[in-house]
Amino acid sequence: MTIMLEDVDEVVRALRTVLAEEQILTGRADRFNRARVPAPFPVHRWAERVPDVVVLPTSTEQVAAVVKIANGLRVPVVPRDGGTGLTDGAVPLRGGILIDVKRMNQVHELDLANRTVTVGTGINMLKLNEYLAPYGLFYPDDPASYPCSLVGGRIGTSGWSLIGARYGHTRDLVLSFDHVLPTGDIMHVGDGIGRKVSKSSSGYQLKHLFMGHQGTLGIATRATLKLFPKPEAELSPFWAFDNYDDAYACTGALARAGVATFAGAVLFDEHKVAYLRRDDEAYIPQPTDVRALVCAAMYGWDDEVRVGGKRLFRIAKEHGARYLGDEISEGDWAARHDRYATPLHGRTKDGQVVPMSWHCEDAAINYSALPSVTKAWHEIVADLRRRTDVFDDWGMFAYTSGSTGVDYLTEIDVGIWEQQLDDRAWAMWVDAKRRLARVALDHGGSISACHGSCREGEVDLVPEELGRGFDVMLDIKRTLDPNNIMNPGKYLLDRAYPQEG
Amino acid sequence: MTDLDRDGAPSTDPLREPFTPGMRSNPPELTELTRSDEIVPQVLIPLEDVKTREFVQEWRNAAYNCYSSGHKFCREVCPVVIETRNESYSPTAFHANVVGMERGELTVEDVAADYVNCTQCGACELRCPNTLFTGDFYRFRTRTVDVVKAARALAVDSGVHQEGYRSWNARTAERSHEPVLGETPVGQDTVRDWADGLDIPIGGETILFVDCEAAFYRTSVPRAVAQVLQKAGYEFGLMGEQWCCGGPAAEMGYVDQARAFAEHNMASWRATGTKRILVLDPHDYIAFTEDYPKYFGADFDLEVVLIVELFAEMIRDGRLVPDVPVDRAITYHDPCRLNKRKGIWKEPREVLRAIPGLRFEDVDRVTQWSYCSGAGGGLAVEKPELTAAISARRLSHAGALDVDTLVSACPWSERPLTEAGDDVDIDVLDIHELLATSLGIDGGGSRGETGDRRFAQVRSGPPGRARRASGEPGTADGSEPGTADGDG
């Protein structure tokens, strides 16, 4: 379905009717630089994934006009926001038009009475919070990619927030948004139709449908977001354990404690601690008997955080925790965004330092299944490593998802020596992803809690995970996108179109 | 170690025995397993073009360290990206291009024009998690500025020119100084004109090096510096024959020219027995502390002294005592090459805080990582409208504060900032000038047409916002929602 060169000229001619010349990019570097995301990439097949044209619209109307043109000409459209996703949502698989929304980064309205802000989806959360700071407000959507991911991408992936246990995740924080459908029609979607309504029982709950579709159902262009008082106090204790089991038990107890200011807890397993000790120069050295770590975070007013914090400290102590002190706690928690991107090198088995990409696979796993999944996942990566130095085990995290501790974002970090990727190595990796996803399903979990599950490998198991629900996805896709132009090739949705499936 | 068992079945619990590669305690069979690796090593794609191949060989690992991370923390602090919102100009794209070239997907012709879109301010390097946390332990520190310089050099070397750069450097070569006055010629016969009447000797152990912009355009700056030095009784001379430092040529990729200029200046210093160079311009400071040592190695044995640091020291020691009150409310613009590139941000603030009468509304220097005048790295030569937009954005941040004046410490920033300041009725002054005023020195010299006109205006009312004709509080009060681009 990739459009041919002569067709590109036709597309560009059509685009010129709705966009200025400088909003249409056709240069090779422009296109290649919008073909990748942080997840390791079959770089030797980069050329297969570039868009034919890139556009930089500045308004909902322009986005709609571009999508209408694409739909009329049957040209693929791929939305791209921050391009920080890990499941290839922003990577074009069939060429076509890439809609880069970064120029839609305005703050349109700040409503202090109802405590909302309406923004273009091309705005970054950190920049938005810099804008909000003088009002004593903040928007608490806090992914690890907080300094560079954009609100629109958060909607398209239904992103995860590190402090979601306190404030909710993207789906809870986005009240409503303007959305361009695959036909180019513009709709407003929220709970009900309300622009600033957080809970409605009117009609189907469409808002969730248009979040997390990885760009297969259209493009969000302007969003109204829920705001909170900028926290007066932040408490982020790091506790050390001499074994994983105690750390695991402690994490569960913290999450179940029902402390209102509790924003989340993270469990670092032994491989993660070993990795940090070995290769993260920023990691504050710990005694060798530290084998697992738990970091909790609390946000709120000073008086409530103090009281809640005491309770959490008491729980940790009961589980054998050793508090690592204010310096380590504050320093390491402050680094939570940066650290995820820090490991730009890994090691071969004989210890040689080489440039490596960071990749993390994630799943939603119930608390009770965590130890078993952790063990099974490490074994899968150990198997990769046994076969080649292309892969390195960088350990695992488990993040609390909500305030009750029912399930966890469970993540394994894998170093990949991207310079050495070829078809064999890539196939090995894709197979490993399939096995990792299988473990999640076998434990009653979901393939992804955070990044989405539409990439090569894990996506193969999505129909199995969703069952009849996957057929509903196909029905919806076929209805809303009759010509399969929106981000085609993702999520096995080609199956909605008999001639392509 | 669990994951080395040949039968694939872990003998111990992998959770309990995490693997640390390279440890002496690792089992010996590890080496055997490494030898029989199923994948490594992969053959590189051979590049026919020798120059591109050499460039890629030098930069590929550095490029992969960014590309492999794929995160773009740099993006929201890059002044060019903040303005254009074009990912092709992002620092991470500059690294990805190298990977694209290694793979034979992109050529220097495909990418050369994109590398224009960089002021070499260095914010991206600071914001890169790689730099923030790993330092340079494994020599994997992100070096975007160097990559940009190298890519521009590759372009020039390959005959791919940007027309503005080419003619700028041709005129610089012709006149031995940069054509900062446009068609009005500059050169050896005019390079000391700024010092008229100051009675400064030629040559000597210590010389004052004055960059092209200050020597020919913003002459108020070197005049202020020279007279403050004289007031402090500090002995110095002017160069026997001063050429442009060559830094801008190096920034634009004209490497041979940069080197030739450096060699000329070095010979001139040798001829006059110079041991110490005083520098007022942050760009020169970069050239003399980074480029020249690369050119000359240990032979470059001259001491390089940054004037603003020297003045801070003199104030500390009581050799300079600013006692004339200055009736202004100011904020300070951290020049990129001082704050971001060299970590120099305390001394300028020391100088400003020593000036009586001044109301100083400081902006955190880290917040200023995303600020730039847009004048550096040759951007203004090829894309003056982008420089102007970046300067205007910088002034809009100043406009949100209760100030009437923006103070900089970099002559190159001051021309575009002054023009942008005129639109919002904010004066742009140089820190050295301001200090001179507070020392009772009326330095003379020019701030350019706009700067001189503004400086001559009589101001009344209390210093600060109230003094500005527009008097707008900016976006910080929420009255006018706008783009959130880094003001805190």
Side-chain angles (χ1 to χ4, degrees), chain A residues 37-68:
Chain A
V37 291
F41 181 72
V43 63
H44 61 296
R45 298 197 333 241
W46 192 354
E48 295 168 21
R49 299 178 179 221
V50 296
D52 294 287
V53 190
V54 173
V55 296
L56 307 173
T58 54
S59 68
T60 303
E61 290 68 31
Q62 283 188 348
V63 172
V66 170
V67 173
K68 268 203 171 74

Side-chain angles (χ1 to χ4, degrees), chain B residues 1 14 25 51 63 163 166 220 270 297 424 427 440 467 483:
Chain B
M1 174 59 221
S25 56
K51 289 173 182 143
E163 206 31 62
R166 186 193 347 223
S220 58
R270 290 283 184 241
V424 290
D427 286 331
R467 211 177 257 183
T483 305

Side-chain angles (χ1 to χ4, degrees), chain A residues 30 34 83 102 135 271 389, chain B residues 14 37 72 85-88 478:
Chain A
D30 292 321
R34 287 173 181 81
K102 290 187 194 67
Y135 306 98
H271 280 253
D389 265 340
Chain B
D37 194 286
K72 295 131 187 142
R85 303 298 285 165
N86 187 338
E87 196 166 337
S88 309

Side-chain angles (χ1 to χ4, degrees), chain A residues 62 110-111 184 243 255 259 276 279 441 446:
Chain A
Q62 283 188 348
L110 177 62
D111 180 342
N243 68 84
V259 172
L276 294 171
D279 261 351
L441 294 189
S446 174

Side-chain angles (χ1 to χ4, degrees), chain A residues 417-437:
Chain A
W417 192 357
E418 218 167 359
Q419 286 168 319
Q420 306 295 340
L421 282 180
D422 60 9
D423 281 340
R424 291 170 306 162
W426 185 251
M428 231 183 251
W429 172 235
V430 170
D431 183 57
K433 285 161 64 65
R434 209 176 284 122
R435 291 170 63 196
L436 292 166

Side-chain angles (χ1 to χ4, degrees), chain A residues 160-175:
Chain A
W160 170 280
S161 173
L162 295 174
I163 52 177
R166 167 81 169 84
Y167 297 102
H169 299 286
T170 311
R171 62 181 187 194
D172 311 303
L173 298 166
V174 175
L175 290 168

Side-chain angles (χ1 to χ4, degrees), chain A residues 25 28-30 32-34 36-38 41 43-44 46-47 56 80-84 86 100 102-103 105-110 122-124 126-128 130-131 133-135 144-150 243-245 269-271 274 278-282 291 335 337-342 344-345 347-351 353-358 371 374-375 378-379 382-383 385-390 392 416-422 424-425 428, chain B residues 1-10 12-23 26 30-31 33-34 36-44 60-61 64-77 81-89 92-94 96-97 99-107 110-111 114 127-130 132-135 137-138 140 142 367 370 475-488:
Chain A
L25 310 177
R28 281 183 77 77
D30 292 321
F32 270 76
N33 273 301
R34 287 173 181 81
R36 67 189 186 97
V37 291
F41 181 72
V43 63
H44 61 296
W46 192 354
L56 307 173
R80 182 178 178 88
D81 295 72
T84 60
L86 288 167
D100 184 331
K102 290 187 194 67
R103 288 191 179 170
N105 64 337
Q106 282 75 28
V107 177
H108 294 293
E109 187 205 40
L110 177 62
I123 199 168
N124 163 252
L126 176 131
K127 292 295 172 193
L128 174 59
E130 285 176 358
Y131 174 86
Y135 306 98
S145 56
Y146 172 77
C148 55
S149 53
L150 310 182
N243 68 84
Y244 174 84
D245 293 342
D269 81 349
E270 298 200 27
H271 280 253
R278 158 194 127 188
D279 261 351
D280 185 343
E281 298 79 47
R291 306 298 295 267
H337 302 108
D338 302 283
R339 172 145 295 133
Y340 95 114
T342 298
L344 301 176
H345 56 268
R347 294 193 192 209
T348 62
K349 285 182 282 252
D350 62 2
V353 172
V354 295
M356 278 197 177
S357 314
W358 162 82
T374 301
K375 190 189 269 189
H378 277 303
E379 283 167 6
D383 182 51
R385 194 161 170 73
R386 220 174 348 255
R387 295 165 64 188
T388 174
D389 265 340
V390 169
D392 191 6
I416 301 186
W417 192 357
E418 218 167 359
Q419 286 168 319
Q420 306 295 340
L421 282 180
D422 60 9
R424 291 170 306 162
M428 231 183 251
Chain B
M1 174 59 221
T2 311
D3 59 359
L4 295 176
D5 293 339
R6 287 168 192 279
D7 61 3
T12 53
D13 184 345
L15 262 188
R16 294 186 193 288
E17 288 194 36
F19 174 47
T20 304
M23 295 292 283
N26 284 341
L30 192 66
T31 319
L33 283 165
T34 306
S36 60
D37 194 286
E38 287 181 36
I39 305 294
V40 178
Q42 190 185 327
V43 180
L44 285 176
R60 66 187 296 267
N61 276 352
Y64 266 99
N65 286 329
C66 168
Y67 180 91
S68 296
S69 158
H71 305 287
K72 295 131 187 142
F73 291 12
C74 52
R75 197 168 56 205
E76 303 287 343
V77 294
V81 175
I82 287 172
E83 201 55 47
T84 63
R85 303 298 285 165
N86 187 338
E87 196 166 337
S88 309
Y89 306 157
T92 183
F94 296 153
N97 287 342
V99 175
M101 289 161 86
E102 181 198 35
R103 297 272 160 185
E105 302 289 2
L106 299 173
T107 63
D110 291 325
V111 300
D114 286 346
R127 194 61 194 83
C128 179
N130 202 10
L132 272 174
F133 286 93
T134 63
F137 190 75
Y138 292 117
F140 286 173
T142 301
T367 308
S370 62
T475 57
D477 72 342
S479 58
E480 290 290 327
T483 305
D485 57 24
D487 202 359

